[in-house]
């Protein structure tokens, strides 16, 4: 109740008001006193409200799940909140990194199935077709992504690449 009525609603304030020491200790990791404070503990985020937003997640994805999960869940939630029916392009570069993580793979599966009705398009870019073809949601990608753009590669003539492409388009 105290936090609800407070003019400053931050994780630090929540942590200071929580009486359960186990919960307070767990929250410390996400406050300004912990390593994720700069990413998650503030009265307001600084994402802005511009027509184009970009998030570089390369360094984030190299951290452990204790950092990756809360930050990416927050970003995905903020992206979803911004969908107002205006045409929106959600580009996920290095999609293999999202496809490897169960939580984000499930979120992508949901997005691929539902974003059209919000007038949004999800684009997944990756260096190797096998990243998607071998993922656990390959069937969802095939069924919900009618457009596939494959750029030439140096080993395009290799037998493995031809077989993989043939299997990929055979299922499409």
């Amino acid at each position: 109740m105290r936090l609800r009525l407070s003019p400053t609603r931050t994780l630090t304030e929540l942590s200071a008001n929580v009486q359960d020491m186990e919960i307070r200790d767990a929250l410390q990791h996400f406050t300004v006193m912990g390593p994720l404070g700069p990413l998650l503990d503030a009265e307001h985020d600084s994402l802005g409200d511009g027509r184009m937003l970009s998030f570089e997640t390369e360094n984030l994805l190299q951290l452990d799940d204790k950092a990756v999960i809360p930050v990416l869940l927050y970003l995905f939630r903020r992206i979803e909140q911004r969908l107002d029916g205006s045409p929106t392009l959600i580009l996920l570069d290095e999609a293999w990194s999202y496809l490897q993580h169960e939580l984000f793979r499930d979120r992508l599966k949901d997005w691929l199935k539902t974003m059209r009705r919000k007038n949004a398009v999800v684009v997944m870019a990756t260096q190797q077709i096998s990243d998607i073809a071998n993922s656990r949601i390959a069937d969802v990608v095939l069924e919900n992504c009618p457009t596939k753009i494959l750029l030439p590669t140096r080993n395009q003539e290799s037998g493995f690449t031809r077989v993989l492409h043939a299997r990929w388009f055979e299922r499409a």
Side-chain angles (χ1 to χ4, degrees):
M1 182 60 98
R2 223 184 266 166
L3 186 61
R4 193 177 126 232
L5 300 173
S6 173
T8 58
R9 296 177 61 183
T10 64
L11 289 172
T12 296
E13 187 171 354
L14 174 62
S15 176
N17 287 307
V18 165
Q19 294 178 8
D20 184 310
M21 291 306 289
E22 189 175 338
I23 293 173
R24 182 181 293 184
D25 290 343
L27 285 172
Q28 288 299 311
H29 187 75
F30 306 100
T31 68
V32 292
M33 302 302 286
L36 293 183
L39 295 173
L40 295 171
D41 191 12
E43 287 182 53
H44 300 67
D45 65 38
S46 59
L47 298 180
D49 57 358
R51 290 178 46 115
M52 181 175 165
L53 296 177
S54 175
F55 307 103
E56 176 53 65
T57 59
E58 180 181 7
N59 292 332
L60 174 68
L61 291 172
Q62 293 174 8
L63 301 175
D64 67 355
D65 279 354
K66 200 170 183 180
V68 172
I69 291 173
V71 173
L72 282 182
L73 282 176
Y74 181 75
L75 290 176
F76 278 40
R77 178 168 157 47
R78 292 289 285 135
I79 289 168
E80 290 169 355
Q81 287 175 332
R82 293 174 59 101
L83 298 175
D84 61 1
S86 302
T88 303
L89 177 69
I90 302 169
L91 175 61
L92 300 171
D93 195 15
E94 302 296 343
W96 62 268
S97 58
Y98 299 99
L99 291 168
Q100 287 181 341
H101 198 285
E102 181 181 357
L103 181 67
F104 300 110
R105 185 175 51 242
D106 291 346
R107 180 62 58 102
L108 284 175
K109 182 178 180 178
D110 179 61
W111 274 12
L112 289 170
K113 291 182 171 193
T114 63
M115 284 298 174
R116 261 183 255 141
R117 66 181 159 199
K118 296 178 182 177
N119 205 17
V121 175
V122 178
V123 174
M124 296 187 302
T126 188
Q127 299 299 316
Q128 297 174 321
I129 194 172
S130 61
D131 294 334
I132 293 174
N134 296 330
S135 81
R136 292 186 184 157
I137 63 167
D139 59 330
V140 175
V141 175
L142 283 169
E143 292 169 10
N144 292 282
C145 298
T147 304
K148 296 159 194 67
I149 301 171
L150 303 176
L151 301 175
T153 63
R154 284 189 301 159
N155 52 346
Q156 182 178 2
E157 297 303 316
S158 77
F160 175 74
T161 304
R162 277 197 310 272
V163 168
L164 191 56
H165 285 188
R167 276 194 318 183
W168 176 260
F169 285 106
E170 199 174 88
R171 290 196 283 175

